[in-house]
Amino acid sequence: MTNFVVKTLANAAALAVAIWLLAGITLDDGTSMGHRALSLILVALIFGLVNFIVKPVVRLLSLPLFVLTLGLFTLVVNAAMLLLTSWLAKQFDLSFHVDGFWTALVGALIISVVSWAVNMVLPDKN
């Protein structure tokens, strides 16, 4: 359970940095800071579920592209997962939005780096 909380907090921190750095990734519904924080946590949960359930299937189906590009196709898959998270957030009436593929690609790169850094700092208990 602790590992789940740590990963969700790392995702939330990474998403917050991407929202802060990129104008094309937004989480703003004009409400209080507490409501925005709750929305960010919910989006982080959706992002974690997308990465846990959908991403392995997509990686398996696109394995030849991973081999052909020496792993660089990972960036495209990560961008697609971010776009899927944006679409799902809209379905749940959350104010998270990613403008397009190129914004998602840069955002996925930022999220990957920040998630890695936060996971290095936070304890990893099972």
Side-chain angles (χ1 to χ4, degrees), residues 9-89:
L9 290 175
N11 279 340
L15 286 164
V17 170
I19 290 165
W20 179 60
L21 288 176
L22 297 174
I25 300 178
T26 58
L27 178 72
D28 189 17
D29 54 4
T31 60
S32 68
M33 187 63 112
H35 189 269
R36 287 183 63 193
L38 179 62
S39 293
L40 181 62
I41 295 294
L42 292 174
V43 170
L45 285 170
I46 293 170
F47 186 64
L49 286 172
V50 164
N51 281 327
F52 181 73
I53 297 169
V54 179
K55 188 175 181 179
V57 174
V58 172
R59 289 182 75 174
L60 180 63
L61 293 175
S62 60
L63 188 59
L65 290 172
F66 280 99
V67 173
L68 185 65
T69 63
L70 302 174
L72 287 176
F73 194 69
T74 302
L75 292 173
V76 174
V77 170
N78 289 346
M81 296 304 107
L82 191 57
L83 286 169
L84 179 59
T85 300
S86 175
W87 181 80
L88 286 170

Side-chain angles (χ1 to χ4, degrees), residues 95-109:
S95 59
F96 179 74
H97 180 70
V98 179
D99 277 344
F101 175 76
W102 294 109
T103 302
L105 190 71
V106 175
L109 186 59

